[in-house]
Amino acid sequence: MTQNAIIEIEGVSKAFGAVTALNGVDATIREGEFFSLLGPSGCGKTTLLRLIAGFDEPTDGTVVIAGQSMAGIPANKRPTNMVFQSYAIFPHLSVADNVGYGLKRKQMSREEINRAVTDALAMVDLAGYGNRAAHELSGGQRQRVALARALVMKPKVVLLDEPLSALDKKLREQMQVELRQLQQQIGITFILVTHDQEEALIMSDRIAVLFEGEIAQLDTPEVLYRRPVSKRVASFIGVMNFLPATITAKAKGALAVDIPSLGKVSLAAGHAPEGLDPASVSTIGVRPEMLTILFDDAEKAECETTGEVTATSYCGDMTYYSVLLPKADEAVTISMRNTAGRSIVPAGTKVRVGWGVESVVLFD
Amino acid sequence: MNIGRFFSRNWLTGYAVVYMLVLYLPVVLLPLFAFNASTIIAFPLTGFTFEWFGVLFETNALHSAVQNSLVIAVITSILSTLLGTLGARAMVRYRFPLKRGIVSLIMVPLILPEIIVGVSLLVLLMQIGISLSIWTVIAGHVLICVPFSVAILSSAFQGLDPSLEEASMDLGETRFGTFRRVIMPLILPGIISSLLITFTISLDEFIIAFFLTGTDVTLPVYIWGQMRFPTKLPSVMALGTILLVLSVFLLVLGEVFRRRSASRQGQDASATGGLM
């Protein structure tokens, strides 16, 4: 993956009447990366995608694509192509005519168009479907046609507006993998809008999490999951247990943290998210899989505490325990893999809970 | 079988039969007397003849009335469908100030008594000094046809996914190209339907034509004039028969077009409305 910027979003705001959809968004999208805009509905992610595509103009700020400001440039003159949420397959045209729709505007011979259409259909595994009518296709096939129609234009950026939300779970999971592979194979920048955090984690090189028209965090999936910058990002992406905590001392690049439920620990100063004042820390977060119930007396963990199981929920491969830790008001969730020979302890059992210092995330 | 249900079903069948008879029996009388070899419109029928149709071919005044009506109907249907397309599009796609008021104003001729429209237009034309011609009739007909056209085409535009237009623009097509390659083919059934219906409305419209026609009478005005002469009645019947067959033909044609284009889009033709 190259590091050259393909899209620069500079201070972009968008208001619809009195409603602010985007508020001063800055982001740089790199050439060849799979970039996701993730957020709950109404957070402005689709608005941002439409500003990039050129369907709307920003109220303030600029969108730069491939070094060129897009101010005043309409959608039909931008080097972007979109896969719509509804797919927007032209119902009166065949599959081949749908895919070749945009090529008719280019200076291409009929043979060249046919070849490009055939190649694009082969790329999305729809070879031989060219003569089908649009209404003969299944949801997954329509999605592929929409993708082929965008790819055949050889855009600098492909924009995907929740392209998988209309598919059933199995097909969606399959398409996530396929889309990701296809993107890596052809190396075109993809920007995906989604509200599904799992989908974003699976597919993306980098993710921008948006809340209320502002980017809350922009990072790789791993950093986003392991080091969320706020409680809101933490609970939007996966499950996070929150426990009250205070910083008791700060010395020699280390932070002494007192977590009443877990104990006193020392963290490296770099552990705190950037821009977070250590004095303002009031909460720590720890993921369910970072806590372990120590079933066996011989099992040891970096740090240990005790708790009481209040509820269990069995999910086949995993069991989720609600465990009440000392001095805590609410039970934390602990997920345990159901490996061979591991029994499931019932509610009411006193257990030892193991955890690691590295897994703790600091919040204000 | 449940007896109450049996009777209520028979009752409903009977009601439906009576309903159809009341609706269509008078229409059946038209061709019946058109082929009847007597100048008196009464039973019993006296014999079979094509004479009255022959009379139609020899009446020059009738020919010019037919010609006037056709010219008026063709121009009216094209103008009102054009205006209706623009109006329906604005109504469905855009938000603008006073939208409700403007839409109501466009639709008002639908419920306004035609005699009021006819008289007011006549007074207005006299005041501004425009002499009566087929163009004044066209103006009046466009006024009452546009609401029908808007109603038909707004349902066509409502069925159109807005992202289709965006997809076309996104693929490099211009606004006009998008209209030609995407919007037009998809609303074509609505346009044909609108052309046929406004054509039919204009063709048999009497009141406004009666007020606004000058020396170039339209067909309904001509027929009304002929009613004063009892000897001309059978040929009026023959004329009515021709018009009846023509109207049914146009409606069937329109429906065939609509169904064909609906099935091409993969929709169930009977589920998408239409005239039949």
Side-chain angles (χ1 to χ4, degrees), chain A residues 50 81-82 86 92 101, chain B residues 161 163 166 168-170 181:
Chain A
R50 292 175 58 82
N81 283 107
M82 176 109 110
S86 65
H92 57 302
Y101 185 89
Chain B
D161 178 1
S163 60
E166 288 182 344
S168 170
M169 296 287 286
D170 189 58
R181 293 177 68 190

Side-chain angles (χ1 to χ4, degrees), chain A residues 96-279:
Chain A
D97 285 343
N98 260 284
V99 176
Y101 185 89
L103 298 178
K104 296 238 167 89
R105 294 279 306 173
K106 297 189 172 183
Q107 304 295 321
M108 288 172 80
S109 71
R110 190 175 288 272
E111 289 74 37
E112 284 173 311
I113 291 177
N114 286 344
R115 203 175 315 124
V117 168
T118 309
D119 289 350
L121 284 174
M123 206 186 288
V124 296
D125 275 338
L126 282 180
Y129 278 70
N131 291 326
R132 298 277 182 102
H135 63 85
E136 292 174 312
L137 302 175
S138 69
Q141 289 167 338
R142 296 169 81 82
Q143 201 264 336
R144 285 163 198 261
V145 172
L147 186 64
R149 190 174 66 181
L151 291 176
V152 82
M153 300 297 287
K154 303 211 184 318
K156 293 208 163 68
V157 181
V158 176
L159 309 171
L160 304 117
D161 185 8
E162 308 227 11
L164 306 178
S165 58
L167 306 179
D168 63 62
K169 191 165 180 285
K170 265 248 159 64
L171 191 56
R172 189 163 66 231
E173 284 167 359
Q174 182 196 336
M175 287 306 296
Q176 286 169 358
V177 176
E178 278 188 30
L179 260 180
R180 178 65 172 142
Q181 283 173 347
L182 186 64
Q183 187 269 336
Q184 283 173 332
Q185 200 183 311
I186 57 179
I188 296 179
T189 310
F190 275 37
I191 303 179
L192 172 80
V193 158
T194 182
H195 62 266
D196 182 342
Q197 45 98 11
E198 201 177 318
E199 185 170 295
L201 291 178
I202 291 171
M203 297 170 80
S204 320
D205 290 311
R206 290 193 306 150
I207 301 170
V209 180
L210 276 92
F211 293 127
E212 276 116 39
E214 292 179 22
I215 293 183
Q217 190 170 1
L218 198 169
D219 260 311
T220 61
E222 201 185 336
V223 172
L224 215 52
Y225 187 80
R226 292 168 62 118
R227 291 278 173 266
V229 294
S230 67
K231 281 189 268 190
R232 194 159 179 207
V233 172
S235 39
F236 188 71
I237 297 177
V239 178
M240 182 71 96
N241 295 305
F242 296 106
L243 292 164
T246 44
I247 304 267
T248 51
K250 196 175 94 171
K252 281 182 280 176
L255 298 169
V257 186
D258 181 13
I259 312 161
S261 298
L262 295 175
K264 289 179 184 169
V265 290
S266 176
L267 290 176
H271 202 84
E274 222 173 294
L276 177 66
D277 175 12

Side-chain angles (χ1 to χ4, degrees), chain A residues 1-6 28-35 180 183-184 187-190 203-206 220-221:
Chain A
M1 188 176 59
T2 54
Q3 296 297 300
N4 299 335
I6 184 81
T28 300
I29 296 159
R30 298 168 188 152
E31 203 171 336
E33 78 175 332
F34 200 121
F35 191 91
R180 178 65 172 142
Q183 187 269 336
Q184 283 173 332
I188 296 179
T189 310
F190 275 37
M203 297 170 80
S204 320
D205 290 311
R206 290 193 306 150
T220 61

Side-chain angles (χ1 to χ4, degrees), chain B residues 15 29 45 57 120 130-131 153 175 178 185 201 225 227 239:
Chain B
Y15 164 75
L29 289 178
L45 302 175
F57 283 100
S120 351
I130 294 176
S131 55
L153 283 155
R175 278 186 175 278
T178 297
I201 291 171
M227 300 294 273
L239 185 58

Side-chain angles (χ1 to χ4, degrees), chain B residues 37-87:
Chain B
S38 162
T39 52
I40 299 155
I41 306 297
F43 287 104
L45 302 175
T46 49
F48 183 82
T49 179
F50 277 115
E51 187 193 339
W52 314 121
F53 288 89
V55 170
L56 292 182
F57 283 100
E58 289 152 16
T59 317
N60 284 329
L62 170 68
H63 296 169
S64 67
V66 167
Q67 199 190 339
N68 288 337
S69 266
L70 286 178
V71 168
I72 289 169
V74 166
I75 297 177
T76 297
S77 64
I78 291 171
L79 279 181
S80 47
T81 299
L82 196 68
L83 293 173
T85 307
L86 301 176

